[in-house]
Amino acid sequence: MRVLLLCAAFAALPAAAAESEPSLPYVTQRSDTVIGLSRRLLVDPAQWREVARFNGLRDPNRIPVGATLRLPLRLLASQPAPARVEQVVGSARVGDAALRSGDSLPEGGTVQTARDGSVVLRLADGSELRLAADSRLRLERARRYPALDHVDSGVGLGAGRVEVRAARAQAGKPGFEVRTPQGVLGVRGTEYRVAVAAGEAALTAGEVLEGAVQFDGGDGPGRLLAAGFGTVIDAQRRVAEPSALLPPPDIRSMPTLHERLVLRFPVVRGDRIKGVRGLVARDREMREVLADNLAEGAELRFTGLDDGDYFLRVRAIDERGLEGRDAMLAFRLKARPEPPAPTAPPPRHVARATQVELAWTQNPEAQAYRLQVAADAGFSRVLSDVPALTGASHVLLGLAPGDYHWRLASVRAGNDQGPWGEPRAFVLRAPPANPPPPRIGDRTLVFAWAAEPGQTFDFQLARDAAFSDLVLERRLEQAEYELPRPPGGVYYMRVRARDADGFQGPFTAPQRFEIIDCLRSGEGECVGSAAGPLRRP
């Protein structure tokens, strides 16, 4: 009868005390007493009276078998359970000391990541935390309770962002929680993200990816959020109405091969999307995050990465700052050795020639250069492919008139070819034909030469092949010129065409001819024979 009364009394006790502070359950065994349990489980056995009061026991020496006692964590004997630093990328510190992979983080320790840093922590209960760049996190609770087979863990996020994969808590035992300046996010085995924004718009944002998370702000009711939802806790510690997370972004237009040092991923925008976050890591699990960027424009951009294989995790951000579901893209960066920079001829060069000299800068990493010349900008019609040029120039000979495109790649040891550089184009037009000798009349000289429609010409006549002693120089609209017969002597002429589009070609080769100072008749005509005009004595 006494046992039944005790059982009824125990079962009817209020649970307010147990709900007001963290505690662990203990199922009583035969011959258990509160005093005996206190000697075995508490730091100070004399606190058995507080355990009795906490559980509302009328007779601490007579407790029913199979009843559940709540034992406050603050009273229980425990051991330190430091977190392990699994990964450090970039810079992170604990106090004044640099944090390194393999370090331990004790209870009370605070991690601060730099703008280029990220840290992966594994807590003693198996929870994994991924702390983003420019974040501050304190390990508030890290205790092991061996007698009750429990590890109690909790952190405080003062600034920045953390991704949590929390270990599943046993029934009746407190689970992992994240405290922020605005509230508390408590879980029982789940995956979620927490971000703390400082300043005038101070708030906590949380997104649940798996399981469920309890959001408590302290003012007003809390909210239990299922996977696929997120909410914010404002500076007044009010929990807002949850909303569905944005779906994974469309990544079908994103390239999977990058050949330049600046990586560009086009972003597909849509309704509710305020921005996009992209994280780059070498591993699909994102344990080694090397870059974490935001895009509010048309593309995500990254730089400073070595060549290799990577994963991009990208998610959309809504108008409340909540980040949506992830999309994952595997991609490769092969930007090295960098291609040399062309130096000659200049872009879109036009020449009247059958040959052209190509020149470029030299890359110290390169042992050789590969050159391709094509008839089209897409290089589907390659006309020349020279695989191992060791100098910084190359002359192309015997080219027909037409449009040409050329590109270069650096090749280092082991035949490791880097990406192609940006193509350049040049145009070759037929070189000017040398004009025929002039028609020498008794009183005039007539020059004529081949021409193309729309051309204009620069005409020069000189007494020397260097054209330093000019007789005359004219700008002509037609491909001929007539002038009075000059005094006898040796002369040189040349002509330069200017095409209708403004392109100016080279001068023709100097053409030498001789004017004889002839013996003239009374009418002023040159006197001559079949061998030609007679020279004046």
Side-chain angles (χ1 to χ4, degrees), residues 154-399:
V155 299
L157 181 66
R161 296 181 297 111
V162 66
E163 297 188 14
V164 179
R165 290 182 179 175
R168 187 170 298 280
Q170 298 178 19
K173 294 184 178 181
F176 175 81
E177 65 181 20
V178 177
R179 291 186 177 271
T180 76
Q182 289 76 41
V184 180
L185 287 76
V187 304
R188 300 192 62 80
T190 190
E191 183 175 349
Y192 64 109
R193 301 187 293 249
V194 185
V196 172
E200 294 182 1
L203 56 82
T204 293
E207 303 105 25
V208 184
L209 306 178
E210 181 181 302
V213 176
Q214 177 69 31
F215 287 67
D216 288 313
D219 290 349
R223 295 182 185 275
L224 182 65
L225 269 66
F229 288 85
T231 191
V232 297
I233 307 174
D234 64 18
Q236 288 71 45
R237 304 176 66 84
R238 295 172 301 197
V239 183
E241 187 74 24
S243 59
L245 301 181
L246 290 172
D250 184 353
I251 60 173
R252 289 174 294 180
S253 63
M254 291 186 175
T256 57
L257 175 64
H258 294 262
E259 297 184 321
R260 295 293 180 264
L261 298 180
V262 177
L263 290 78
R264 301 175 184 273
F265 295 89
V267 172
V268 177
R269 307 306 291 263
D271 294 341
R272 294 181 58 205
I273 297 178
K274 178 183 176 183
V276 174
R277 181 180 298 281
L279 297 91
V280 174
R282 290 193 179 276
D283 62 306
R284 183 179 290 274
E285 291 74 26
M286 292 281 154
R287 294 172 60 82
E288 186 181 355
V289 175
L290 303 176
D292 182 346
N293 290 348
L294 285 173
E296 294 184 356
E299 62 183 13
L300 275 166
R301 292 189 292 268
F302 300 92
T303 188
L305 298 174
D306 296 330
D307 284 357
D309 294 321
Y310 296 91
F311 293 91
L312 171 68
R313 179 176 287 178
V314 59
R315 63 181 73 120
I317 304 172
D318 69 16
E319 63 279 358
R320 295 203 294 175
L322 295 174
E323 302 186 2
R325 295 284 196 176
D326 293 325
M328 182 74 76
L329 178 75
F331 70 91
R332 170 168 292 183
L333 173 62
K334 182 66 173 81
R336 302 168 181 87
E338 296 178 63
T343 58
R348 297 175 296 279
H349 175 65
V350 182
R352 287 193 171 273
T354 59
Q355 68 180 52
V356 65
E357 182 177 11
L358 309 177
W360 52 87
T361 60
Q362 290 188 287
N363 183 345
E365 286 190 83
Q367 291 188 343
Y369 304 96
R370 183 178 176 187
L371 167 68
Q372 281 190 343
V373 181
D376 65 307
F379 285 79
S380 62
R381 291 181 291 155
V382 174
L383 305 175
S384 178
D385 190 339
V386 187
L389 293 169
T390 56
S393 64
H394 183 68
V395 178
L396 298 171
L397 301 171
L399 298 176

Side-chain angles (χ1 to χ4, degrees), residues 444-473:
T444 62
L445 290 180
V446 178
F447 298 88
W449 53 88
E452 297 176 7
Q455 286 182 325
T456 58
F457 307 92
D458 295 321
F459 175 84
Q460 290 182 344
L461 182 66
R463 292 186 179 88
D464 64 317
F467 285 78
S468 59
D469 185 9
L470 283 174
V471 175
L472 61 84
E473 183 175 23

